[in-house]
Amino acid sequence: MSNVQVHSLFTDFDINLFKAGKHYRLYEKMGSHIITHNGVQGTYFAVWAPSAKSVSVIGDFNYWDDKQHQLHVRWDKSGIWEGFIPHVGKGNLYKYKIYSHHRNVITEKADPYARRSEHPPKTASVVWEDDYQWQDTQWMQDRHKHNAINAPFSVYEVHLGSWKKKIEEYRSLSYTELADELVAYVKEMQFTHVELMPVMEYPYDPSWGYQITGYFAPTARFGYPDEFKLLVDKLHQAGIGIILDWVPSHFPEDAHGLGFFDGSHLYEHPDKRRGYHPDWKSLIFNYSRNEVKSFLISNAIFWLDQYHVDGLRVDAVASMLYLDYSRDEGEWEPNKYGGRENLEAIEFMKELNKEVYSSYPDVQTIAEESTSFSMVSKPTFEGGLGFGMKWMMGWMHDTLIYMAKEPIYRKHHQNDLTFSMTYAFTENFMLPLSHDEVVYGKKSIACRMPGDEWQQYANLRVLYSYMFTHPGTKLLFMGAEFGQREEWNFQQQLDWYTLEYDVHKGIQQLIKDLNVLYKSRPELHELQFERTGFEWINYSDAENSVLSYLRRDSAGNYLVVCCNFTPIPRSNYRIGLPDKGFLNEILNSDAQKYGGGGIVNKSKIKIEKKDWNYRNFSAEIAIPPLGAAIFTLENK
């Protein structure tokens, strides 16, 4: 009698959906599932390996012997091997040993659908289930309000391994410890969301999680899957959303991973021009293969379903969109219309977003897309890719180049700041100052600023004030919120000791207050993707390197924002205004509590009936050196 009993969780309908690329809940069927069959408890295994001539489950329960538990191939040409193994259960280690028809290749693979993996550098999958009891009912009921495009969306980007460490124990914080410390910190700092760099299992620490081998398993580096659920749960209970970095663009060639899975190009495209990424030395998914699309979309749904996450930030979208991405002439083949667009990848992204928003209309997908590809964040029924938001890489690039210039030269480059407003409302943009901007010799955000320490941190304060009052949602990488000076190093914790110094505490306080302002003032978030939410007062005062503008809400209320990008204070600076009344300063980046010099507008400023900036009313204000002043209008 075989040690593997014939059994299946698949219906004919499941198989038809799988073959058609329309099965978006494959994790309910594929992988390992603890069940009771014929009165005996054990584990059902199912794996897709169409080029295999045999597939065995090897593990700690059979001394890794491939002769004891050989799976049965389905009769329907689906390429799925499956079966029930009695008495195998939670915590057992396993892999699939695959003998291929293709050149008699033999592979030993981790389970692509495993819910848990061994702690790296070990690579086996772990049979797993948990009965975690969620306590985030209130958040889940209300999150459509928190994740709406007209809601404040201020994201703290975190690499879990290096946010904070137990120095004396030479280790990172666990999921359980993060559920206390990270959650408390993010809540104190008033961010609305956390974005975690990829938490799916990955073998190579220097990849930061972007080279994934276990797409359905949170990395074992920090604990068990149910402990990661605890972290998500605690964030939700604290009123904080969670976004996961998700990587459908490429995967590594590690022997236990998806590459050459059954001895054939199963998950990766067989043509190296479309299946190999020269920059990352990794493999590219075959988006034209239906079963691969089902795998990827099922994975996206898995994290939304099983882990209650509030959104997915989709990595490296530009590399998926273009066949010639990072390739020289002759290294790529045009599509059937002679163009450079990857038509299959584009259709995959549309399918992904349609399914995500159909099943979870209260979440967001966010594209890290660095080109001018149009309609990334427009609905699929309008011809768009269907993402909820897109990273505004042009704003990031132009702004950081501008801010790195000595102030004396900035008057010649005013367009670097104003250009973003020419396209700001073509997409639902998120303004990112991400991990990519503080590595590889680029310096920290603080140390990109010119001048002595005082000027660097004044520049940083005006940069953040400009960022938080610019249309769009916000993202800030950890450490930037207190002006860390060192580049990010994934092997070390953040430089928390610097908070002993007033200048760093001041930056931290400013970010906290900007978050509060962004969350509490509808003028800054309600119309953040609409042209009606922004209006220039004066963008042409390049001589003084001053920008002034209005931010509006749907009720007609507005804030007045003035930014001075030189170290020269602008006293009695006149700005045109649309209404009479009084200006009342509600935030000034030069306030002493932020480490500034204290050049603030202490009392209400009367608006005069005097034409200025093509408006009937105007007022004189003080704008601090390398600083920003934000006002409300009162007594209209």
Side-chain angles (χ1 to χ4, degrees):
M1 180 178 177
S2 171
N3 291 326
V4 178
Q5 299 177 18
V6 175
H7 186 67
S8 182
L9 296 183
F10 287 92
T11 65
D12 290 344
F13 185 55
D14 285 323
I15 297 300
N16 289 334
L17 287 175
F18 178 54
K19 289 180 177 179
K22 299 294 183 181
H23 201 310
Y24 303 140
R25 304 292 189 282
L26 281 175
Y27 54 88
E28 296 176 350
K29 311 287 181 174
M30 291 284 198
S32 59
H33 297 271
I34 300 170
I35 63 171
T36 298
H37 178 56
N38 292 333
V40 178
Q41 190 172 61
T43 300
Y44 165 81
F45 294 89
V47 63
W48 179 51
S51 289
K53 56 186 176 183
S54 73
V55 177
S56 299
V57 183
I58 58 175
D60 58 358
F61 48 87
N62 62 14
Y63 304 101
W64 305 92
D65 180 359
D66 64 348
K67 300 296 188 293
Q68 293 196 38
H69 294 103
Q70 293 186 356
L71 297 177
H72 307 283
V73 66
R74 288 184 63 90
W75 60 91
D76 49 22
K77 298 182 180 179
S78 63
I80 295 172
W81 297 74
E82 61 183 351
F84 173 76
I85 304 179
H87 310 302
V88 172
K90 183 175 178 177
N92 278 129
L93 305 179
Y94 71 100
K95 284 186 176 180
Y96 297 115
K97 190 159 187 177
I98 301 171
Y99 289 79
S100 178
H101 283 294
H102 185 70
R103 298 179 182 176
N104 294 316
V105 170
I106 303 172
T107 63
E108 285 189 9
K109 295 293 186 178
D111 186 347
Y113 292 87
R115 303 292 182 92
R116 183 184 157 205
S117 299
E118 276 192 293
H119 193 299
K122 296 180 179 179
T123 58
S125 299
V126 184
V127 177
W128 199 255
E129 67 176 15
D130 64 67
D131 57 354
Y132 184 82
Q133 301 298 307
W134 290 91
Q135 304 294 320
D136 63 347
T137 303
Q138 191 63 53
W139 171 272
M140 296 299 284
Q141 288 176 350
D142 295 341
R143 73 172 179 177
H144 64 282
K145 295 183 288 189
H146 301 293
N147 295 334
I149 60 172
N150 62 352
F153 217 91
S154 179
V155 181
Y156 186 56
E157 186 189 20
V158 176
H159 176 262
L160 291 180
S162 58
W163 180 71
K164 189 179 287 187
K165 291 180 178 286
K166 291 285 186 182
I167 303 296
E168 65 281 0
E169 299 176 27
Y170 304 102
R171 66 173 178 84
S172 303
L173 299 186
S174 67
Y175 292 131
T176 304
E177 291 164 335
L178 288 159
D180 291 329
E181 296 194 39
L182 178 63
V183 172
Y185 181 73
V186 173
K187 185 175 182 179
E188 178 193 355
M189 291 301 297
Q190 297 288 327
F191 286 97
T192 65
H193 292 74
V194 168
E195 179 182 313
L196 302 184
M197 292 167 68
V199 299
M200 302 80 184
E201 193 59 82
Y202 59 100
Y204 187 50
D205 283 355
S207 80
W208 312 331
Y210 289 96
Q211 298 274 7
I212 295 172
T213 52
Y215 271 79
F216 290 82
T219 179
R221 288 167 174 81
F222 314 118
Y224 294 155
D226 47 321
E227 292 172 330
F228 181 63
K229 289 179 181 177
L230 174 69
L231 172 57
V232 176
D233 204 352
K234 291 292 188 181
L235 283 164
H236 284 171
Q237 292 174 48
I240 301 161
I242 179 169
I243 302 161
L244 296 185
D245 257 10
W246 186 59
V247 190
S249 50
H250 64 112
F251 58 93
E253 294 185 283
D254 293 68
H256 67 288
L258 296 177
F260 213 52
F261 188 82
D262 62 352
S264 71
H265 297 290
L266 190 62
Y267 287 90
E268 68 272 23
H269 199 285
D271 186 340
K272 191 171 182 179
R273 293 172 297 181
R274 300 181 65 175
Y276 183 77
H277 201 295
D279 285 356
W280 302 316
K281 307 294 187 292
S282 56
L283 302 174
I284 300 171
F285 284 103
N286 184 354
Y287 306 108
S288 63
R289 191 159 195 169
N290 286 340
E291 298 90 342
V292 173
K293 287 194 294 185
S294 282
F295 169 80
L296 286 170
I297 296 176
S298 290
N299 184 242
I301 295 298
F302 171 79
W303 293 101
L304 302 172
D305 173 21
Q306 298 289 301
Y307 284 86
H308 289 200
V309 303
D310 300 286
L312 299 170
R313 178 267 194 185
V314 182
D315 182 62
V317 168
S319 74
M320 300 166 66
L321 288 174
Y322 296 105
L323 297 167
D324 63 344
Y325 186 90
S326 284
R327 298 181 188 275
D328 295 328
E329 189 174 348
E331 295 179 345
W332 64 282
E333 185 178 40
N335 63 36
K336 62 184 180 180
Y337 301 114
R340 53 194 282 257
E341 295 80 15
N342 188 333
L343 302 179
E344 292 83 5
I346 289 169
E347 284 308 306
F348 157 71
M349 282 184 269
K350 290 180 178 181
E351 282 188 49
L352 163 72
N353 284 310
K354 280 190 286 189
E355 178 58 27
V356 166
Y357 283 109
S358 173
S359 299
Y360 298 95
D362 53 356
V363 305
Q364 293 292 345
T365 59
I366 305 164
E368 188 230 355
E369 204 285 307
S370 54
T371 75
S372 58
F373 192 95
S374 62
M375 301 183 71
V376 171
S377 59
K378 300 301 180 185
T380 55
F381 59 78
E382 292 182 3
L385 293 183
F387 287 94
M389 299 180 207
K390 170 182 171 174
W391 274 20
M392 198 175 191
M393 306 294 278
W395 171 88
M396 175 276 297
H397 183 264
D398 292 345
T399 299
L400 289 180
I401 285 178
Y402 177 89
M403 295 302 299
K405 290 180 168 61
E406 291 288 346
I408 193 171
Y409 302 119
R410 288 177 178 171
K411 64 183 179 181
H412 304 298
H413 300 276
Q414 186 96 334
N415 185 58
D416 287 349
L417 288 186
T418 60
F419 181 66
S420 64
M421 294 311 305
T422 65
Y423 64 93
F425 306 107
T426 59
E427 302 275 5
N428 296 341
F429 279 119
M430 173 177 280
L431 279 57
L433 293 178
S434 74
H435 66 275
D436 280 327
E437 311 320 316
V438 293
V439 288
Y440 301 139
K442 294 177 183 177
K443 303 180 182 178
S444 67
I445 300 296
C447 287
R448 286 185 177 213
M449 305 296 109
D452 58 18
E453 183 182 77
W454 180 88
Q455 286 205 21
Q456 282 185 320
Y457 284 95
N459 271 301
L460 195 61
R461 290 191 296 271
V462 71
L463 166 61
Y464 289 158
S465 301
Y466 166 63
M467 173 184 182
F468 272 79
T469 55
H470 188 289
T473 54
K474 329 295 176 187
L475 178 138
L476 204 61
F477 183 59
M478 63 184 199
E481 82 279 8
F482 58 81
Q484 173 158 317
R485 297 193 65 80
E486 296 298 319
E487 261 193 358
W488 172 54
N489 183 337
F490 74 94
Q491 295 175 304
Q492 300 173 4
Q493 72 168 2
L494 299 180
D495 293 339
W496 295 105
Y497 72 89
T498 60
L499 286 169
E500 298 171 11
Y501 302 100
D502 288 343
V503 67
H504 294 278
K505 285 193 291 190
I507 294 291
Q508 188 185 52
Q509 185 63 49
L510 175 64
I511 292 296
K512 186 187 302 185
D513 289 354
L514 284 170
N515 272 328
V516 170
L517 191 69
Y518 175 50
K519 288 161 62 174
S520 63
R521 302 298 308 202
E523 299 94 330
L524 293 177
H525 62 256
E526 188 182 16
L527 300 174
Q528 58 195 347
F529 302 132
E530 305 292 335
R531 291 186 183 277
T532 53
F534 178 90
E535 184 181 335
W536 284 115
I537 295 174
N538 188 356
Y539 60 84
S540 60
D541 188 7
E543 188 61 33
N544 291 313
S545 298
V546 170
L547 290 180
S548 53
Y549 46 91
L550 306 176
R551 291 298 310 278
R552 297 182 182 273
D553 65 15
S554 59
N557 303 308
Y558 59 83
L559 298 181
V560 177
V561 183
C562 298
C563 300
N564 175 13
F565 294 97
T566 73
I568 302 169
R570 308 293 175 187
S571 56
N572 305 119
Y573 188 89
R574 186 169 290 275
I575 55 172
L577 295 164
D579 295 297
K580 61 183 178 180
F582 296 88
L583 292 179
N584 183 37
E585 186 175 83
I586 55 173
L587 189 141
N588 189 307
S589 67
D590 197 51
Q592 291 180 339
K593 66 176 178 176
Y594 305 139
I599 298 179
V600 299
N601 295 272
K602 294 180 180 178
S603 57
K604 291 184 179 180
I605 300 167
K606 183 173 176 56
I607 299 172
E608 304 172 67
K609 181 70 171 68
K610 182 174 183 178
D611 292 355
W612 205 262
N613 299 134
Y614 306 103
R615 288 178 174 82
N616 296 329
F617 302 92
S618 61
E620 286 188 346
I621 61 171
I623 317 178
L626 295 172
I630 305 171
F631 305 87
T632 58
L633 180 77
E634 298 183 1
N635 299 325
K636 262 205 241 187

